[in-house]
Amino acid sequence: MGRYDKLKEQVYLCNMEIPRKGLALYTWGNVSAYDPDNGAIAIKPSGVSYDELKPSDIVVLDIDGRIIEGTMNPSSDTATHLVLYRNFPSVRGIVHTHSTYATAWAQTCLPLTIYGTTHADHLAADVPCTEVMADERIQGNYEEETGNQIVDAFKNMSYSDIEMVLVACHGPFTWGVTPEKAVYNAVVLEELARMAFITHTIRPDTPALKKSLCDKHYFRKHGKDAYYGQSSNK
Amino acid sequence: MGRYDKLKEQVYLCNMEIPRKGLALYTWGNVSAYDPDNGAIAIKPSGVSYDELKPSDIVVLDIDGRIIEGTMNPSSDTATHLVLYRNFPSVRGIVHTHSTYATAWAQTCLPLTIYGTTHADHLAADVPCTEVMADERIQGNYEEETGNQIVDAFKNMSYSDIEMVLVACHGPFTWGVTPEKAVYNAVVLEELARMAFITHTIRPDTPALKKSLCDKHYFRKHGKDAYYGQSSNK
Amino acid sequence: MGRYDKLKEQVYLCNMEIPRKGLALYTWGNVSAYDPDNGAIAIKPSGVSYDELKPSDIVVLDIDGRIIEGTMNPSSDTATHLVLYRNFPSVRGIVHTHSTYATAWAQTCLPLTIYGTTHADHLAADVPCTEVMADERIQGNYEEETGNQIVDAFKNMSYSDIEMVLVACHGPFTWGVTPEKAVYNAVVLEELARMAFITHTIRPDTPALKKSLCDKHYFRKHGKDAYYGQSSNK
Amino acid sequence: MGRYDKLKEQVYLCNMEIPRKGLALYTWGNVSAYDPDNGAIAIKPSGVSYDELKPSDIVVLDIDGRIIEGTMNPSSDTATHLVLYRNFPSVRGIVHTHSTYATAWAQTCLPLTIYGTTHADHLAADVPCTEVMADERIQGNYEEETGNQIVDAFKNMSYSDIEMVLVACHGPFTWGVTPEKAVYNAVVLEELARMAFITHTIRPDTPALKKSLCDKHYFRKHGKDAYYGQSSNK
């Protein structure tokens, strides 16, 4: 068994969750995982349909984007993933999708308001939205600049407390300490955006969740005093 | 066969209906049942995915919340269920979900308007929405206070005529004289919220259903003169 | 084989189409068929879930509502069906559902605007909405009065050109020259209401389809000059 | 094997994708393919349900609409397809559906705004909407005039850069260099319309995507400098 086979299998399975959870049509979306012990990042190949994807298609790169293993072109969003792995050091998995509600919200160029405890169970703040990219950055290395825009959006926020972002005019990126957690976050973000769409449509002036409720729900599930689930600290 | 096995199996099956009816993602949501003859309440364990849930995982507690049987942590919402069983004495099953439309409506902090006869077939009034919880209550025993907020909302209403509530900023709770009826009510509430969302979006000033129609539909199905279904009194 | 077995089997199959097409939860909705040669109307029993429904459960009545065959209570909406069969003489099947979008539109108490050719392929006018029922009628024979309200709504319209109606605050009824056609119309109405909801939300002042397009599409599929499908006249 | 069997099989399979992707109810929608080497256009027969459709039902015509092979009436929209094949010479497949969101948007008579990069990945402009057809054209050869309206809408646009259109008050047509690509475009258009509906509902004054982002995404996937996917030029 090859050195990267386990990582490739893991990334393959995480990618297959994307259409199974209804987050992507055709080839849209991609999942990567980072194994720092092997200095390896595994990612979906570009433009391959989920119906045809095989574990052996997964492309393995080093953190500078040089291909270590694989014969296919990696996802066209690879440079974005690499920027995030370099700047968010504890991240081990990243997901990009064009899931319907999260993408539609990203198209408004607004952050996703925290309206309720479902949201606060996962993060205690709005899901941030990046700036619309400046023309000179678009003309440059576009995918790398997409990563830079995300890093900029987290200048005053913790990427480990808020594991998701909307890229303005584009769509969602999510991450986590495992690729499975990043996929979970992609599913959660889609549902949060769907609920927020409905809430906002019924009552456009619905206020954001007050801080005491944000914190209560977040810290019920995260941090040293968490008491949700079967382990004391999740 | 153990003393609580039948109750645990029943609660297991009711919990499994939650994802089957599309009311929950991952571990979200929980169903409990109360067997007063055995002094036992059975509830889903905390943070366990429906894919992995087994009847033997169900936790059994007494009405004060002491674990009688089971090795897992009970649902983090257990204290809310217990308050409801203590205050709503004829209730034998309780359901909490984060179903999309009911949760989105709860996030608006508004009651769910009774717009039509589908609603009136199940209750003859708006679905009430609790007050937003005060900070000192949030800082206290939060889950117990959630139960107290629900009980407060029913001060001038009958919990047996209205078997559902929206907890402001949070989501729905439903109950019934059996856990199966509580699950049925959770499905109904989600559909009522979905219909009300559409009605309100098409015509924001749609009036509430007039009292004569509320009563006609409700009493067609409930109370001593009910004539819906195969038994004379349902 | 009994005299009514074929009719009961047909009505059973048409009823089972209702949940299959996503038009009903649990026991909601009912389909009937009328066989004038046998003086028999067959209808779903009241409050029976589609999961448990069997052809032998179907209740057979005469046009005055006397039970000819069957041991169960007929649908609580039977009186509405009977009024329609008596007043719309060429009708051979009737469907009532609480399908989401059609019911939500009925709750607005507005007719369903004809916005496009999908609608005009089936009827060349708005789907009418009945008046909200007066209190004295509600207090009387409610289900019969529901039928009367529908008949009133068709005073200046042809029930064979427009095979569907919204009952204000309640939901849709559809009919046809066969029960299968009535089920087809129920599916169509739900889709027309869904499309109209989206159109109206995007652009609230969208005008109704102009008459020349209404007529073109309707008469392409109906009447003596129809040229859609495999027979010359459909 | 007959001369047209391969083409008929291909058109059959493409037609069957329409209900599989949720783009059509019952008989709604049709796909055709053009094989200029054999001078043959194959298209779905009129009014045949997808459940019953067989490859041998597919009708083969020449570019002037004369039936070469097949015993059924071709789709009632055949004349529209023929006009498009004659005016858009590189097109080899055409799809017409009444898919929910694209049809609802067409009913507003507005072009579908380009709000984000999902849209720009496929076309760098709004999806155009035709003029509402003038009465004298409706009275004439309606289906041929529908084709003419589409051709008119592309007077100042490239049909190979923009492979989709909304016919005002009616619904979408899409095309491509293969019938499979035309089906892909029909699925894409439905998703773009769904996202745009949500975006527009959340924030009605959302601006269109700026030109630099339109072009970046479009040319990432199309033209001589494309770098998406596994071939250099897609």
Side-chain angles (χ1 to χ4, degrees):
Chain A
M1 199 172 109
R3 182 174 180 175
Y4 306 111
D5 284 3
K6 207 181 133 190
L7 184 67
K8 286 161 72 175
E9 175 74 17
Q10 184 183 23
V11 165
Y12 164 75
L13 290 172
C14 286
N15 271 287
M16 293 309 288
E17 272 294 284
I18 299 301
R20 195 171 293 130
K21 294 295 188 187
L23 301 186
L25 294 170
Y26 295 108
T27 67
W28 308 2
N30 43 72
V31 183
S32 70
Y34 177 34
D35 173 2
D37 295 339
N38 277 306
I41 288 163
I43 194 164
K44 183 172 175 286
S46 182
V48 174
S49 157
Y50 293 102
D51 297 348
E52 297 165 8
L53 189 66
K54 299 182 304 292
S56 59
D57 295 336
I58 301 297
V59 184
V60 183
L61 309 112
D62 68 19
I63 194 117
D64 297 314
R66 283 177 293 252
I67 293 183
I68 301 177
E69 192 173 289
T71 54
M72 303 186 97
N73 298 337
S75 164
S76 59
D77 297 308
T78 298
T80 312
H81 290 239
L82 294 176
V83 170
L84 296 183
Y85 284 122
R86 286 195 293 254
N87 286 275
F88 296 171
S90 65
V91 167
R92 295 294 172 266
I94 295 171
V95 175
H96 173 48
T97 77
H98 287 237
S99 68
T100 309
Y101 287 87
T103 301
W105 203 288
Q107 291 184 159
T108 67
C109 304
L110 300 172
L112 179 64
T113 311
I114 181 166
Y115 281 132
T117 64
T118 317
H119 187 133
D121 281 338
H122 299 94
L123 66 161
D126 292 353
V127 179
C129 185
T130 68
E131 295 288 309
V132 178
M133 201 183 286
D135 285 1
E136 54 274 24
R137 285 182 145 191
I138 296 170
Q139 261 54 275
N141 187 333
Y142 175 69
E143 289 79 11
E144 196 171 297
E145 294 291 3
T146 300
N148 292 336
Q149 297 268 135
I150 295 172
V151 173
D152 287 354
F154 279 78
K155 221 175 292 181
N156 300 309
M157 280 183 286
S158 159
Y159 73 85
S160 57
D161 288 346
I162 299 176
E163 299 180 321
M164 49 187 73
V165 71
L166 301 175
V167 175
C169 310
H170 189 146
F173 279 81
T174 62
W175 49 85
V177 292
T178 61
E180 290 80 10
K181 183 71 193 307
V183 171
Y184 172 84
N185 285 333
V187 175
V188 167
L189 175 52
E190 177 63 5
E191 182 66 6
L192 297 180
R194 191 154 81 113
M195 285 178 174
F197 162 73
I198 299 164
T199 298
H200 179 81
T201 302
I202 299 169
R203 187 185 162 197
D205 64 347
T206 298
L209 193 67
K210 64 178 180 172
K211 189 165 183 321
S212 52
L213 273 172
C214 290
D215 288 349
K216 176 66 200 175
H217 269 263
Y218 187 71
F219 292 114
R220 202 166 82 133
K221 290 186 110 173
H222 304 87
K224 70 176 176 44
D225 297 323
Y227 56 92
Y228 178 89
Q230 298 302 323
S231 55
S232 56
N233 190 314
K234 204 186 163 178
Chain B
M1 200 172 111
R3 183 173 178 177
Y4 306 111
D5 284 3
K6 208 181 133 190
L7 185 67
K8 286 160 73 175
E9 175 74 16
Q10 184 183 23
V11 165
Y12 165 75
L13 290 172
C14 286
N15 271 288
M16 294 307 290
E17 272 294 285
I18 300 301
R20 195 171 294 130
K21 294 295 189 186
L23 301 187
L25 295 170
Y26 296 109
T27 67
W28 309 3
N30 43 71
V31 183
S32 71
Y34 177 33
D35 173 3
D37 295 339
N38 277 306
I41 288 162
I43 194 165
K44 183 171 175 286
S46 182
V48 174
S49 157
Y50 294 101
D51 297 348
E52 298 166 6
L53 189 66
K54 299 183 302 294
S56 59
D57 295 337
I58 301 297
V59 185
V60 182
L61 308 112
D62 68 18
I63 193 116
D64 298 313
R66 282 178 295 252
I67 294 183
I68 300 177
E69 192 173 290
T71 55
M72 303 186 96
N73 298 337
S75 164
S76 59
D77 298 309
T78 298
T80 312
H81 290 240
L82 294 176
V83 170
L84 296 183
Y85 284 122
R86 285 194 294 255
N87 285 276
F88 296 171
S90 65
V91 166
R92 295 294 173 265
I94 296 172
V95 175
H96 173 50
T97 78
H98 287 236
S99 68
T100 308
Y101 287 86
T103 301
W105 202 288
Q107 292 185 159
T108 68
C109 304
L110 299 171
L112 179 64
T113 311
I114 181 165
Y115 281 132
T117 64
T118 316
H119 187 132
D121 281 338
H122 299 93
L123 66 162
D126 292 353
V127 179
C129 185
T130 68
E131 295 288 308
V132 178
M133 201 183 286
D135 286 0
E136 54 275 22
R137 286 182 145 188
I138 296 170
Q139 261 54 275
N141 187 333
Y142 175 69
E143 289 79 11
E144 197 171 297
E145 295 290 4
T146 301
N148 292 337
Q149 298 268 134
I150 295 171
V151 172
D152 288 354
F154 279 78
K155 220 174 293 179
N156 301 308
M157 280 182 286
S158 158
Y159 73 85
S160 58
D161 288 346
I162 300 177
E163 299 180 321
M164 49 187 73
V165 72
L166 301 176
V167 175
C169 309
H170 189 146
F173 279 82
T174 62
W175 49 84
V177 293
T178 61
E180 291 79 11
K181 182 72 194 307
V183 171
Y184 172 83
N185 285 333
V187 175
V188 167
L189 174 52
E190 177 63 6
E191 182 66 6
L192 297 180
R194 191 153 82 112
M195 285 177 174
F197 162 74
I198 299 163
T199 298
H200 179 81
T201 302
I202 298 169
R203 186 185 163 198
D205 65 346
T206 299
L209 192 67
K210 63 178 179 173
K211 191 167 183 319
S212 52
L213 273 171
C214 290
D215 288 349
K216 177 66 201 176
H217 269 262
Y218 187 71
F219 292 114
R220 203 167 81 134
K221 289 186 111 174
H222 303 86
K224 69 176 177 46
D225 297 324
Y227 56 92
Y228 178 89
Q230 297 302 324
S231 55
S232 56
N233 190 313
K234 206 188 161 176
Chain C
M1 202 171 107
R3 182 172 179 178
Y4 306 111
D5 284 2
K6 207 181 134 190
L7 184 67
K8 286 161 73 176
E9 175 74 16
Q10 184 183 22
V11 164
Y12 165 75
L13 290 172
C14 286
N15 271 288
M16 294 308 289
E17 271 295 284
I18 298 301
R20 195 171 293 129
K21 295 294 189 186
L23 300 187
L25 294 170
Y26 295 108
T27 65
W28 309 2
N30 44 71
V31 183
S32 72
Y34 177 33
D35 173 2
D37 295 339
N38 278 305
I41 287 162
I43 194 164
K44 182 170 175 287
S46 181
V48 174
S49 157
Y50 294 102
D51 297 348
E52 299 166 6
L53 189 66
K54 300 184 302 293
S56 59
D57 295 336
I58 301 298
V59 185
V60 183
L61 309 111
D62 68 19
I63 193 118
D64 298 313
R66 281 177 296 250
I67 294 184
I68 301 177
E69 191 173 290
T71 56
M72 304 185 96
N73 299 336
S75 165
S76 59
D77 297 309
T78 298
T80 312
H81 290 240
L82 294 175
V83 170
L84 297 182
Y85 285 121
R86 286 194 293 254
N87 285 276
F88 297 171
S90 65
V91 167
R92 295 294 173 265
I94 295 173
V95 175
H96 172 50
T97 78
H98 287 236
S99 68
T100 309
Y101 287 87
T103 301
W105 203 288
Q107 292 184 158
T108 68
C109 304
L110 299 171
L112 179 64
T113 311
I114 181 165
Y115 280 132
T117 64
T118 317
H119 187 132
D121 281 338
H122 299 93
L123 66 163
D126 292 353
V127 178
C129 185
T130 68
E131 295 288 308
V132 178
M133 201 183 287
D135 285 1
E136 54 274 23
R137 285 182 146 189
I138 296 171
Q139 261 54 275
N141 187 332
Y142 175 69
E143 289 78 12
E144 196 171 296
E145 295 290 3
T146 300
N148 292 337
Q149 298 268 135
I150 295 171
V151 173
D152 288 354
F154 279 78
K155 221 174 293 178
N156 300 308
M157 281 182 285
S158 159
Y159 73 85
S160 58
D161 288 346
I162 299 177
E163 299 180 321
M164 50 187 72
V165 72
L166 301 176
V167 175
C169 310
H170 190 145
F173 279 81
T174 63
W175 50 85
V177 292
T178 62
E180 291 79 10
K181 182 72 194 306
V183 171
Y184 172 83
N185 284 334
V187 175
V188 167
L189 173 53
E190 177 63 6
E191 182 65 7
L192 296 180
R194 191 154 82 113
M195 286 178 173
F197 163 73
I198 300 164
T199 298
H200 179 81
T201 303
I202 299 169
R203 188 186 162 197
D205 65 346
T206 299
L209 193 67
K210 64 178 180 174
K211 189 163 184 322
S212 52
L213 273 171
C214 290
D215 288 349
K216 177 65 200 177
H217 270 262
Y218 187 71
F219 292 114
R220 202 166 82 133
K221 291 186 110 176
H222 303 86
K224 69 175 178 44
D225 297 323
Y227 57 91
Y228 178 88
Q230 298 302 323
S231 56
S232 56
N233 189 314
K234 204 186 163 175
Chain D
M1 200 172 111
R3 182 173 179 177
Y4 306 111
D5 284 3
K6 207 180 133 190
L7 184 67
K8 285 161 73 175
E9 174 74 18
Q10 184 183 24
V11 165
Y12 165 75
L13 290 172
C14 285
N15 271 288
M16 293 308 288
E17 272 295 284
I18 299 301
R20 194 171 293 130
K21 295 294 188 188
L23 301 186
L25 294 170
Y26 295 108
T27 66
W28 309 2
N30 44 71
V31 183
S32 71
Y34 177 33
D35 173 3
D37 295 339
N38 277 305
I41 288 162
I43 194 164
K44 182 171 175 287
S46 182
V48 175
S49 157
Y50 294 102
D51 298 347
E52 298 166 7
L53 189 67
K54 299 183 303 292
S56 59
D57 295 336
I58 301 297
V59 184
V60 183
L61 309 110
D62 68 17
I63 194 116
D64 297 313
R66 281 176 295 250
I67 294 184
I68 302 177
E69 191 173 290
T71 55
M72 303 186 96
N73 299 337
S75 165
S76 59
D77 297 308
T78 298
T80 312
H81 290 241
L82 295 175
V83 170
L84 296 183
Y85 284 122
R86 286 194 293 255
N87 285 277
F88 297 171
S90 65
V91 167
R92 295 294 173 266
I94 295 172
V95 175
H96 173 49
T97 78
H98 287 237
S99 68
T100 309
Y101 287 87
T103 301
W105 203 288
Q107 291 184 159
T108 68
C109 304
L110 299 170
L112 179 65
T113 311
I114 181 166
Y115 280 132
T117 64
T118 316
H119 188 132
D121 282 337
H122 299 94
L123 66 162
D126 292 352
V127 179
C129 186
T130 67
E131 295 288 309
V132 177
M133 201 183 286
D135 285 0
E136 55 273 24
R137 285 183 146 189
I138 296 171
Q139 261 55 274
N141 187 334
Y142 175 69
E143 289 77 13
E144 195 172 297
E145 295 290 3
T146 300
N148 291 338
Q149 297 268 134
I150 296 172
V151 172
D152 288 354
F154 279 78
K155 220 175 293 180
N156 301 308
M157 281 182 285
S158 158
Y159 73 85
S160 57
D161 289 345
I162 300 176
E163 299 179 321
M164 50 188 72
V165 71
L166 300 176
V167 175
C169 310
H170 189 147
F173 279 81
T174 62
W175 49 84
V177 292
T178 62
E180 290 80 10
K181 183 71 192 309
V183 171
Y184 173 84
N185 284 335
V187 175
V188 167
L189 174 51
E190 177 63 6
E191 181 66 6
L192 297 180
R194 191 154 81 114
M195 285 178 174
F197 163 73
I198 300 164
T199 298
H200 178 81
T201 302
I202 299 169
R203 188 186 162 197
D205 65 346
T206 299
L209 192 68
K210 63 179 181 173
K211 190 164 184 319
S212 52
L213 273 171
C214 290
D215 288 349
K216 177 65 200 176
H217 269 263
Y218 187 72
F219 292 114
R220 202 166 82 132
K221 290 186 110 175
H222 303 87
K224 70 174 178 43
D225 297 324
Y227 56 92
Y228 179 88
Q230 298 302 323
S231 56
S232 56
N233 190 313
K234 203 187 164 176

